[in-house]
Amino acid sequence: MSIKTTALVRGIGQLALLLLLFVPHSINAEMRIWRDRDGKQVAAEFSKEAFGKVFLRDVTGKMIPIDVETLSSSDVKYIRTMVSPKIEVKAVTKTKSVKANEYNNDLQQMWIVTETIQIRKTSSPRFDGKLSGEVYLVGKDIVSGRYVMLCRERFSPAFSEEKNKDYEFNVSAEVCRFEDYNGQDRGYEYVGYLVIVFGPQGDRLATVTDLSRFSDEALDSLRAFSYFTFFDQDGRKRSTPRPEYSNTRRSF
Amino acid sequence: MKRLFKKTEGLIRGVPSAVLLSALIHFILLFVAGGLIVFSVIKKPPLPPFVPHPPIERPKTPLIKPRVKLKKNVKPGATRRIVSKQTLGVPDMQLPAIEGMGQGLGGGVGGFELMPDSSGMTLFGGAKSMASGNDFEGTFYSLRYSRLREVVNDTKDQIYPIIRRFLDLNWNPRVFAPYFQSSRKLYATQFLVPAVITSEGPRQFGIERDADFDPIIWFVHYKGRIASKEGGRFRFWGMGDFLFVRLNGKLVFVGTGRPQMDSCDWPEYLNEEEKAEYNLCSEQARVGLWFDLEPGVPTEMEVLTGEGDGGYFTCILLIEKEGEYYVKNREGMPVLPAFRTAEIPESIKSQIEYKLIPGEVDLESELMFNVY
């Protein structure tokens, strides 16, 4: 392949990539056939719902307002279960020291970190579908400086008609400091959280984190790590830090 | 119409002569074709007259009885079969139990369902079978408490006779019947717990840290089966506050520390030449007796491990195969494979490594003792 052809192909590729980046996409707004109770049909995508009306955008980009009451029951069900609500996500961190008992005194200091995840639905239309989410709590080894996955949980909030606004739940992880049997101070401390909430069609509704030192790509990478996996700031998996060798060891 | 009919009448009248002509032509063609066929007649030679075969001389051999050694306790061989068992592969839709160091103490509020991570395994085993029949079922006992949670033993010195009785009475769990027993069972596929605080033991078996429960003088009795694909001669290495292993009813390993051994007056059977020479975690490693495993034959195995008077709990069980070469660590101890009946999950491996000095245990070896 000549240099000119290669450059042309690369140019087309770059242009295509650029176009892809600028095309607004939303998994939530899928083109589908909508029907009213009289059987009339229109191919359009959902845009928004306000004042008892559903606004649909047809293939030409024209906005079509339809009363929710006039839509077919299957379309109303679709709106109530498959169209993601707008949400706000907050996380509140609390740390509690674990009281050592008389049999474990002076061996290990331990804390329980609890993240309370609060989710508020800010859009007013009713939502009967299911959201899903993931929570990750991240720690850091005090000797090596490597990050460690302390907790990973999935959650599935089920909204009900009676209570359709605020939801919260807790996830916890333990952090500790201890003197190893070779006399070395070791342990890991809490660094932060990552919460991701997905809509009913798998679209990402919210990402909340205080792990600002991590890039978006690194945050995405750490989602693949299992409990107690060590990794670096770039989201690359690292080996587990080990105690240093010592021929004189503390006997427990 | 009349005219057309007349013409047709003439045509019909001519049919018999045409048929006759066609038949004649076909007959001539058949005759010519028949003349072209060549018949080759193969004349078979006459069969020779029947002569019977002379009799064969067969030397008489003495009747040999098959050499089959019958054992009194013959057990069926291992067969591959699908075992219907609930595994962690299928996530529960229930709220997860609050358990496990850092596994997330999920407390659902307001209609949330927290789904447990697949890393539900702990250092003491998983709450459900992960290895479809290759795991050891562990039962937790606290010899400090009675069944009614009343304190009945204060120090580990008081429990030596109980442990001794358990070992002497064929590892009968009824010896522990008067004491507290956890309802939660754990399923382990390896015995590698490097230095965790003693409250972790009861906690993994469902007794919360906040509960009024002293984490001392507790034991876990694991029962399962092992098999070696190739068979061979093996022995255990390891250490623990209390650690005993028996195979097919025979005690083959005592990893219990020297003070406990001495105060308990255990029968001395350890390999004197190799015992207590190398460090393993915080104690000196111990070596068990050699035992043989026939290829693929399942063998009953039990492990009793436990904690004395608080602090850290450790339990390490390694395996050595006779005739194998093992790399030696800086203290001269062979770096032996961890005894296991299944692959160690990554999260568990990482927790073990975090507390284990490099070069003490081989966690990557392919040697595995799974039955299925």
Side-chain angles (χ1 to χ4, degrees), chain A residues 19 29 31 48 50 58 65 72 114 149 151 153 161 195 200 208-209 213 217-218 226 230 240 251:
Chain A
L19 283 171
M31 192 64 76
K48 61 181 178 181
D58 71 5
S72 68
T114 305
M149 183 63 70
C151 168
E153 294 278 1
E161 206 174 341
V195 183
V208 182
T209 183
R213 67 197 85 180
E217 290 78 19
S226 59
F230 286 83
T240 304
S251 184

Side-chain angles (χ1 to χ4, degrees), chain B residues 113-242:
Chain B
E113 292 171 299
L114 296 185
M115 284 165 279
D117 191 281
S118 61
S119 65
M121 283 286 286
T122 73
L123 290 169
F124 289 82
K128 289 171 189 168
S129 172
M130 287 278 284
S132 298
N134 287 319
D135 34 35
F136 291 79
E137 187 182 80
T139 310
F140 177 90
Y141 300 95
S142 170
L143 304 193
R144 178 162 174 75
Y145 295 102
S146 70
R147 291 169 70 97
L148 300 170
R149 286 280 291 270
E150 291 160 343
V151 175
V152 286
N153 289 308
D154 277 326
T155 64
K156 67 178 177 185
D157 295 338
Q158 293 173 288
I159 60 162
Y160 292 138
I162 305 167
I163 299 300
R164 184 64 189 268
R165 196 160 73 245
F166 174 78
L167 299 178
D168 289 346
L169 292 176
N170 206 26
W171 291 50
N172 193 338
R174 287 188 181 181
V175 173
F176 296 144
Y179 304 101
F180 175 84
Q181 178 184 335
S182 167
S183 57
R184 178 182 290 176
K185 307 267 187 186
L186 289 182
Y187 299 86
T189 53
Q190 78 277 331
F191 302 95
L192 290 168
V193 187
V196 297
I197 55 170
T198 57
S199 57
E200 277 305 300
R203 192 173 159 227
Q204 302 298 351
F205 281 89
I207 300 147
E208 275 310 308
R209 201 184 287 115
D210 295 338
D212 187 18
F213 193 95
D214 297 330
I216 56 168
I217 45 182
W218 53 260
F219 285 81
V220 186
H221 180 205
Y222 289 98
K223 283 180 83 170
R225 295 199 304 167
I226 64 165
S228 168
K229 203 173 176 183
E230 294 172 353
R233 200 146 194 255
F234 303 91
R235 65 178 175 179
F236 289 112
W237 290 57
M239 56 80 62
D241 292 21
F242 286 95

Side-chain angles (χ1 to χ4, degrees), chain B residues 75 136 170-171 191 222 224-228 232-236 244-253 288-294 297-304 317 319-320 339 341 369 371:
Chain B
K75 289 180 178 173
F136 291 79
N170 206 26
W171 291 50
F191 302 95
Y222 289 98
R225 295 199 304 167
I226 64 165
S228 168
R233 200 146 194 255
F234 303 91
R235 65 178 175 179
F236 289 112
F244 307 90
V245 181
R246 79 168 188 166
L247 275 171
N248 264 349
K250 188 190 170 193
L251 194 63
V252 292
F253 179 70
L289 301 176
W290 288 107
F291 56 88
D292 295 310
L293 290 177
E294 290 179 38
V297 178
T299 305
E300 302 288 334
M301 178 168 154
E302 287 173 78
V303 176
L304 180 72
L317 191 62
I319 190 86
E320 179 189 5
F339 170 80
T341 56
F369 293 85
V371 174

